[in-house]
Amino acid sequence: MKNYVNSGATITLAAAAAAIKSGEGVLSGAMFGVAQHDAASGEEVTVVRFGQFELAKVSAQAWTLGAKLYWDGTANLVTTVVSGNTLIGCAGAVAANPSATGVVILDGAVR
């Protein structure tokens, strides 16, 4: 195949207006991933679009296994709230209320 570019599991893009830390969620348009490394504003950062990650969540929410999860770009947290947020995947494990983090399965889909 001469038209193959890559698997799409990672993508490199410019960091937004704020610095990005390794392991943080990154939303670019309709595409979500987790930063592989730190990047200052405007620098390139590689994000991983597939896999399971422990990410910061809305503490006051309980998650069930397989629950749909969304990225709240204002709070930079994973949430179960649909309105105004971007679907990023599903819960890879039960998460208690309260808890600061939860396991998220990213499927790499663009929403």
Side-chain angles (χ1 to χ4, degrees), residues 12-13 20-21 27 31 33 45 49-50 91 95 97-98 101 103:
T12 302
L13 48 90
I20 295 172
K21 299 276 187 204
L27 183 64
M31 184 175 42
V45 62
R49 299 182 51 240
F50 303 95
N97 170 7
T101 62
V103 176

Side-chain angles (χ1 to χ4, degrees), residues 57-63 69 78-81 95-99:
K57 67 181 265 305
V58 174
S59 179
Q61 293 177 346
W63 296 355
L69 298 174
V78 180
T79 181
T80 57
V81 175
N97 170 7
S99 59

Side-chain angles (χ1 to χ4, degrees), residues 68-94:
K68 287 184 178 180
L69 298 174
Y70 303 83
W71 182 250
D72 178 339
T74 302
N76 290 330
L77 296 172
V78 180
T79 181
T80 57
V81 175
V82 177
S83 182
N85 298 313
T86 303
L87 181 63
I88 61 169
C90 68
V94 171

Side-chain angles (χ1 to χ4, degrees), residues 35-60:
Q36 280 189 326
H37 54 86
D38 294 350
S41 176
E43 288 184 346
E44 288 190 338
V45 62
T46 302
V47 297
V48 180
R49 299 182 51 240
F50 303 95
Q52 291 189 52
F53 296 89
E54 187 173 1
L55 296 175
K57 67 181 265 305
V58 174
S59 179

